[in-house]
Amino acid sequence: TRDTMSPQPRSVRFTYEDFLLFPEDGKRHEIIDGDHFVTPSPNTRHQSVSGKLFLAIGIYLQHRRIGEVFAAPYDVVLSDEDIVEPDLLFVSAARSAIITDKNVQGPPDLVVEILSDSTRKTDEIIKRKLYERHGVAEYWIVDPELETIKVYRASEGGLSPGGRGTVPAYVRAAELSREADDRLATPLLPDFAVSLAELFA
């Protein structure tokens, strides 16, 4: 077991069976490539941004029933050794079969992680590679401190090794900032847009 701040050498590989036995202690427990990651409860700024983004997408989906949005804690089982709890995730109606009574079994269309000091390295490097490898179509990294959002999108132009052969590799499709008065949008949610000024207010 390790927290996201201090990786330690691995002596055992954890699986979903182990994941089910982790304590309900208010912390976020995840397994990535068999490693156990523990993250402290999020701070107020993190929760404020998460809530605003969840609300914006939720209201959008009330009028366009093209999928569902979920907020943490909610398990995403990418493989027996890759179980994560993204801050937010979107599953399109076309892929709704991956939603079960207990969790999501497979890659969501969109995953959103909101950075904190304890998750920065994990979210920007380890999880980006994980989501790319498992075929998550789009990944947003939201930085409440810098008031920026990095958008990574799968591109057919390059292929990355995946759980089942190869999957499209990520390209950084956008780097948005509040300072530039940018708006967040995605082809996954046609006509959806939210201003970063509103999101980080």
Side-chain angles (χ1 to χ4, degrees), residues 8-200:
Q8 299 170 357
R10 175 172 59 196
S11 58
V12 64
R13 294 180 74 87
F14 291 92
T15 66
Y16 186 60
E17 190 175 328
D18 300 308
F19 178 84
L20 295 174
L21 301 175
F22 293 153
E24 294 186 18
D25 54 8
K27 298 179 180 178
R28 176 160 57 171
H29 293 263
E30 300 176 297
I31 297 175
I32 300 175
D33 194 25
D35 274 342
H36 180 199
F37 289 76
V38 183
T39 307
S41 299
N43 63 27
T44 302
R45 179 77 165 149
H46 175 289
Q47 291 299 81
S48 173
V49 172
S50 177
K52 288 175 186 174
L53 191 51
F54 178 80
L55 185 61
I57 296 173
I59 290 172
Y60 167 90
L61 291 174
Q62 282 183 339
H63 302 286
R64 299 168 181 81
R65 301 193 178 278
I66 60 171
E68 291 187 71
V69 63
F70 300 94
Y74 188 48
D75 301 342
V76 175
V77 182
L78 297 171
S79 76
D80 195 45
E81 293 188 348
D82 296 301
I83 304 98
V84 291
E85 291 187 357
D87 289 307
L88 297 174
L89 63 104
F90 165 74
V91 178
S92 65
R95 303 189 62 254
S96 62
I98 68 173
I99 302 171
T100 73
D101 288 340
K102 294 183 178 180
N103 52 39
V104 168
Q105 293 274 339
D109 297 81
L110 167 67
V111 166
V112 181
E113 296 285 8
I114 299 168
L115 298 181
S116 64
D117 288 341
S118 62
T119 66
R120 189 171 295 275
K121 179 181 177 184
T122 304
D123 291 342
E124 294 217 72
I125 300 172
I126 297 171
K127 284 190 176 177
R128 177 172 53 83
K129 291 178 179 178
L130 174 75
Y131 296 142
E132 179 183 49
R133 186 170 79 242
H134 283 281
V136 174
E138 196 161 304
Y139 177 38
W140 298 350
I141 301 176
V142 179
D143 190 331
E145 185 178 330
L146 297 179
E147 299 185 330
T148 62
I149 300 177
K150 293 176 186 172
V151 175
Y152 291 92
R153 192 170 293 143
S155 166
E156 298 290 346
L159 293 175
S160 137
R164 299 176 183 173
T166 56
V167 295
Y170 277 161
V171 295
R172 189 182 296 183
E175 185 159 1
L176 311 172
S177 74
R178 179 181 183 176
E179 186 178 3
D181 201 26
D182 287 327
R183 294 174 67 80
L184 176 63
T186 171
L188 294 171
L189 305 172
D191 300 321
F192 170 82
V194 61
S195 73
L196 270 64
E198 179 183 332
L199 192 60
F200 292 122

